[in-house]
């Protein structure tokens, strides 16, 4: 079985025979998978009028509980402060997130899910996990576990090298 990245690697080897294309085998495939997964977000999220980034904000607020600062939320969702502000504003307009000023420092905001936000996330989370499971169903469970482990290792390496540069 061959994917599009294998063809890209073959093309580069023909152009630059001495070039080590091994990184393309990993990074190219991760990038391609990410792009395909972005396109596949038509499931439960879109039915609720959410995009993945908004879903990530809602799930982070659900996991962390009330009182999360925008800075912490940006770290949790690997997003910029501006992106978090925009997402929170949209979710607040929908009545899913609320902001409360800090009692001691009015410049600091604390974020929390509203009751509607909590109900929504608790309702769609099982559907979203099921949808994502279906996307991965072409891989045997053992291979999914191996892939998850390898990606976890890569993530630790990249966070160590790039974590301070990004976010």
């Amino acid at each position: 079985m061959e994917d599009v990245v294998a063809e890209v690697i073959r093309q580069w080897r023909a152009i630059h025979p001495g070039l080590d294309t091994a990184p393309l085998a990993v990074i190219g495939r991760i990038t391609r998978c990410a792009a395909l997964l972005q396109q596949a977000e038509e499931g439960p999220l879109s039915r609720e009028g959410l995009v993945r980034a908004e879903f990530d904000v809602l799930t982070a607020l659900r996991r962390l509980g009330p009182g999360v600062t925008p800075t912490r939320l940006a770290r949790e969702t690997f997003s910029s402060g501006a992106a978090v502000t925009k997402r929170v504003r949209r979710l607040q307009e929908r009545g899913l997130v609320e902001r409360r000023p800090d009692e001691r420092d009015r410049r600091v905001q604390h974020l929390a899910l509203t009751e509607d936000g909590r109900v929504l996330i608790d309702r769609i989370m099982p559907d979203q996990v099921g949808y994502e499971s279906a996307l991965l169903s072409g891989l045997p469970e053992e291979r999914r576990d191996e892939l998850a482990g390898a990606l976890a290792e890569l993530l630790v390496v990249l966070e160590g090298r790039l974590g301070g540069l990004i976010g």
Side-chain angles (χ1 to χ4, degrees), residues 79-148:
S79 303
S80 70
V84 166
T85 298
K86 182 179 175 182
R87 292 169 193 151
V88 166
R89 186 178 312 118
R90 271 197 313 260
L91 294 168
Q92 191 175 15
E93 288 169 1
R94 287 188 58 185
L96 303 173
V97 172
E98 61 187 3
R99 296 175 194 249
R100 292 191 188 128
D102 187 88
E103 293 175 6
R104 292 180 302 249
D105 185 348
R106 303 296 260 175
R107 295 171 296 174
V108 176
Q109 296 283 310
H110 296 281
L111 306 171
L113 291 176
T114 63
E115 179 63 19
D116 286 348
R118 189 193 61 73
V119 167
L120 174 67
I121 253 335
D122 287 352
R123 180 172 48 79
I124 68 170
M125 187 64 179
D127 291 342
Q128 184 62 27
V129 170
Y131 177 72
E132 291 175 8
S133 180
L135 291 174
L136 298 174
S137 65
L139 288 175
E141 187 174 347
E142 180 180 298
R143 296 291 287 154
R144 284 182 285 195
D145 292 344
E146 290 171 14
L147 180 58

Side-chain angles (χ1 to χ4, degrees), residues 10 12 52 83 110 134 164:
R10 229 184 346 275
W12 278 113
R52 183 64 189 223
H110 296 281

Side-chain angles (χ1 to χ4, degrees), residues 2-46:
E2 191 166 277
D3 60 30
V4 296
V5 175
E7 178 64 21
V8 169
I9 291 169
R10 229 184 346 275
Q11 291 166 344
W12 278 113
R13 285 182 180 158
I15 295 168
H16 291 285
L19 183 65
D20 178 10
T21 57
L24 295 177
V26 175
I27 303 296
R29 286 184 173 98
I30 289 172
T31 302
R32 178 84 173 156
C33 285
L36 289 168
L37 289 170
Q38 286 292 117
Q39 294 174 12
E41 290 183 356
E42 299 303 317
L45 300 184
S46 67

